[in-house]
Every structure is written in structure tokens, then in C-alpha cells.
Amino acid sequence: NLNWLFTGEGTMFIDNAAISKIPIYDIKASAGFGRNGDFEHPPVKGFFELDTTLLEKYKGRVRVVEVEGDSMSPTFLHGQYVVFVENLIQSDGIYIINKNGSILIKRIQFKPAENKMIIISDNPNYEKEIVDTKDFNGYILVIGKVFFKVSGC
């Protein structure tokens, strides 16, 4: 039970009714300079079984992708998988984005009063990028918010 594991609440084990098969997209989210990908109709390479009580309100929008590259290290490492919720934009956090056709995993800081969005790599060897949100014109699309990493996919 991931809820028990993360919070200590609930029971250690769950029944199969609370487990859902979450699609693992055959697209890698680049933690680097970019990886071409299509989130319109992404191929599915398998499924990850997840205790959905933790993300129940996002049912049907929870997805898994593999991280490729080192720009988000030490938070996310090359080859790890992350769970994200499609079409979810909340506050600052880590997101899967489509930047001019490249699928990326990046930390995003929103500055709505300044019409700016800052795209940040956790690895200090990479520069942050400041984007004017008035000039998006399809250049950047926020695909979804990352919640946590998983292993064993």
C-alpha cells in the first residue's frame, strides 16, 4: 500500500480492488536537451500496477514514463520511471512538458504576475530557461504533473 508506505496511514497491505494497471508510455521524458515524442497517441509498452487510492481523484489520467538523461539528477536518474497525471497544472513543481516537439521532464516555476515560466533542471550543470508565457504559440505544452518515481517497470 503506497499510502501506508508514504504516510504511515492505513493498512500495510491492500486488496486487489485498489490496484489499477497504469499504462507505461513507450516515450522517454528527456532529462537533458530533448527527446522527440508524440503524446497525442503514445504507444504503450506495458503496465505498472499502482495502488490508486493515493491518486484516486485522477483516475484515468495517471501515466508512467521513463526518464532519459541527467539534467534532473539527483532527483530523477536516467532509467527511472515517473508517475504523472495528464492535464494537471497546479503550483510550481516537476512536470512533463512538450517543448517544441521534444518531451522533457523539468521543474517549472510559474510567475503569472510577470507572464513568465521558468524551466529548471535540478542538475546545476544545466542552465534555467525563462519563457514569456504570452509568446507560447504551441512552443511549450505542459502535459502533466509528476508525483513520484517508481522502480520495477
Side-chain angles (χ1 to χ4, degrees), residues 44-108:
V44 175
K45 70 177 184 179
F47 293 90
F48 177 75
E49 290 187 352
L50 178 68
D51 171 7
T52 50
T53 57
L54 198 59
L55 299 171
E56 193 166 300
K57 68 180 178 177
Y58 305 116
K59 193 170 185 164
R61 296 177 18 212
V62 181
R63 305 288 183 257
V64 178
V65 291
E66 185 178 355
V67 175
E68 179 178 73
D70 69 347
S71 76
M72 288 303 289
S73 69
T75 309
F76 300 109
L77 304 176
H78 177 82
Q80 288 182 319
Y81 289 82
V82 294
V83 174
F84 72 98
V85 176
E86 278 187 294
N87 302 315
L88 178 65
I89 301 173
Q90 289 179 324
S91 56
D92 298 350
I94 299 174
Y95 288 86
I96 303 294
I97 64 173
N98 182 331
K99 181 180 159 198
N100 204 26
S102 294
I103 306 302
L104 304 169
I105 178 170
K106 296 292 178 186
R107 187 173 301 278
I108 304 293

Side-chain angles (χ1 to χ4, degrees), residues 89-138:
I89 301 173
Q90 289 179 324
S91 56
D92 298 350
I94 299 174
Y95 288 86
I96 303 294
I97 64 173
N98 182 331
K99 181 180 159 198
N100 204 26
S102 294
I103 306 302
L104 304 169
I105 178 170
K106 296 292 178 186
R107 187 173 301 278
I108 304 293
Q109 185 177 16
F110 297 100
K111 300 279 191 181
E114 302 168 29
N115 293 316
K116 304 273 187 224
M117 182 171 89
I118 304 172
I119 301 172
I120 304 164
S121 297
D122 286 0
N123 184 333
N125 294 325
Y126 292 82
E127 297 284 325
K128 67 181 175 184
E129 180 180 357
I130 300 172
V131 178
D132 189 330
T133 56
K134 292 184 291 186
D135 298 328
F136 269 16
N137 293 333

Side-chain angles (χ1 to χ4, degrees), residues 9-37:
E9 297 174 4
T11 60
M12 183 185 299
F13 300 102
I14 57 173
D15 61 41
N16 287 338
I19 293 179
S20 293
K21 290 184 182 242
I22 306 301
I24 302 170
Y25 285 160
D26 193 14
I27 293 177
K28 294 183 180 179
S30 178
F33 294 108
R35 171 107 178 159
N36 287 334

